[in-house]
Amino acid sequence: MTTTATTLTTYRRTYFGLWMGSSLLFAALVAAGYPLVGVAAFAFGALSATALQHRSPTVLFDERDTTIFHEAGANTIAVVGMASAAFFPTMTALWALDVVAWPAWLAHLAYFVTGLFAIWGLALVVARQRR
């Protein structure tokens, strides 16, 4: 491996680690009852990752990464969509038949999925307008 490739790998791992670490720390601190400390930890990690990306002596993401990100995003939307199409109607039917109770967290998840697809739909409209 060349020095450039090693440097790129190191920067990418650090970038990913900062985002992942700050996200996990955020969730852990919120769960532990320290939401503001969690927000501060996340903000520090996010700002550090962003600074690393912009100050890196090498290009962290190029057109090959863009293609991979697009494919990963499309697959994510497909999986969430198919799972939601099966799960939420099933849960609603079971709830209507008094087989299960509809827990509050599930309502929040349903709102999140609805919001996710609303944003995706708007992104599709914008992408089509740009072509």
Side-chain angles (χ1 to χ4, degrees):
M1 202 180 300
T2 65
T3 303
T4 305
T6 303
T7 302
L8 177 60
T9 301
T10 300
Y11 274 102
R12 284 182 172 206
R13 285 181 180 158
T14 303
Y15 178 83
F16 176 76
L18 285 166
W19 278 110
M20 184 61 72
S22 63
S23 297
L24 292 173
L25 190 56
F26 170 73
L29 288 168
V30 169
Y34 300 102
L36 293 179
V37 178
V39 168
F42 181 80
F44 179 77
L47 290 172
S48 297
T50 303
L52 176 69
Q53 181 179 2
H54 291 291
R55 295 181 186 264
S56 169
T58 184
V59 176
L60 290 182
F61 304 108
D62 60 18
E63 62 277 352
R64 292 170 295 179
D65 297 306
T66 300
T67 301
I68 292 168
F69 294 157
H70 286 194
E71 184 178 337
N75 290 339
T76 300
I77 288 294
V79 168
V80 171
M82 287 184 272
S84 296
F87 179 74
F88 286 110
T90 301
M91 280 299 294
T92 301
L94 293 173
W95 170 73
L97 295 169
D98 283 330
V99 175
V100 298
W102 187 275
W105 65 267
L106 192 56
H108 297 297
L109 181 61
Y111 291 135
F112 172 80
V113 170
T114 301
L116 175 68
F117 279 97
I119 292 168
W120 181 67
L122 289 173
L124 281 177
V125 169
V126 169
R128 286 188 175 139
Q129 294 297 320
R130 296 173 75 186
R131 294 195 178 249

